[in-house]
Amino acid sequence: MNDANRTPWVVGVSGASGTPYAAAVLRGLLDAGESVDLVVSRASRLTLLDETGIAFRDAHWRDDLRVWLERGADGKPGTFAVDEAADVRHWAAGDLAAGPSSGSYPVKGMLIVPASTACVAGVALGLSKDLLQRAASVTLKERRKLVVAVRETPLNGQTLKHLVALDEAGAVVLPASPAFYAGATHIQDLVDFVAGRVLDAAGVPHRLYRRWEGELGGAQSRGD
């Protein structure tokens, strides 16, 4: 794609548990033909290593990303096929001169999946301690879509205040809360439900979960 016509979604991955959510959102964006600018925080690399055994390295990010996205939520390698030609650009978390650090850099919006309470606090307070937080602050000031998929429990009063501040600033606060009416039979179904809700909030089409149609019993019929 010509860079002059490129308008990506920024996807920020923070250090909270839930790297399968990030992988599902990334796959959903790429399946929809969207461009992606990826920011993987330093803390999230430790979580990714712990949850999947995958080391995400700046010098080998494309190979590491492919292995990550091919893996299912149950840890099974090769579950998904990844398009080698997918439009993904990676920015190092410490690169505060990166494209997404400026409001003049064209993007559609930003999705933080998963969002830790430390990340929530940093964005709510405008700390911009790394590229993930800086890009989120830029997204808010430019009045672009910001979806924050917080994945912590329980939440203390201070974090709740930070989430209210983000809501008041225009962000979509989206807890990573799976639902069961879609007839989940596998851990991937629960992960895909949350990823689908993130994409819903962003306005990106997908087919990650069965939508509610006003009729009871859909989950049971799917399981028969």
Side-chain angles (χ1 to χ4, degrees):
M1 179 180 293
N2 189 321
D3 282 357
N5 300 320
R6 186 177 184 274
T7 309
W9 285 96
V10 179
V11 176
V13 186
S14 81
S17 176
T19 54
Y21 291 129
V25 166
L26 287 165
R27 286 192 298 266
L29 288 170
L30 298 178
D31 287 346
E34 298 286 347
S35 301
V36 171
D37 275 21
L38 179 63
V39 182
V40 180
S41 76
R42 291 186 177 91
S44 70
R45 298 174 192 225
L46 297 176
T47 306
L48 181 64
L49 182 62
D50 183 53
E51 292 183 344
T52 69
I54 297 170
F56 193 90
R57 303 159 295 175
D58 287 338
H60 304 280
W61 70 268
R62 195 172 292 279
D63 290 337
D64 296 338
L65 178 64
R66 176 182 51 77
V67 173
W68 179 22
L69 297 189
E70 288 178 346
R71 185 162 301 197
D74 60 359
K76 183 179 179 181
T79 300
F80 297 97
V82 178
D83 184 359
E84 296 290 343
D87 182 12
V88 182
R89 179 179 293 172
H90 166 256
W91 300 96
D95 185 3
L96 292 177
S101 69
S102 172
S104 66
Y105 183 79
V107 302
K108 292 182 177 179
M110 182 173 184
L111 316 175
I112 305 178
V113 188
S116 66
T117 54
C119 172
V120 165
V123 177
L125 297 174
L127 298 183
S128 296
K129 74 176 184 65
D130 61 9
L131 179 59
L132 194 159
Q133 291 184 12
R134 172 59 185 169
S137 296
V138 168
T139 301
L140 288 175
K141 82 179 182 67
E142 297 294 328
R143 302 296 191 266
R144 295 167 180 158
K145 179 74 73 175
L146 175 64
V147 182
V148 180
V150 60
R151 208 240 50 85
E152 297 278 7
T153 191
L155 299 174
N156 63 27
Q158 198 60 49
T159 298
L160 292 170
K161 291 176 183 177
H162 291 152
L163 292 173
V164 169
L166 289 178
D167 176 78
E168 291 175 343
V172 175
V173 175
L174 195 152
S177 301
F180 296 86
Y181 64 78
T185 59
H186 190 277
I187 186 174
Q188 189 67 54
D189 297 325
L190 299 176
V191 168
D192 284 348
F193 179 87
V194 172
R197 295 299 288 149
V198 171
L199 296 178
D200 286 344
V204 176
H206 66 87
R207 299 180 64 183
L208 287 174
Y209 67 88
R210 184 185 70 85
R211 296 185 181 277
W212 177 252
E213 297 176 346
E215 297 181 6
L216 296 176
Q220 291 91 330
S221 63
R222 176 176 172 176
D224 291 342

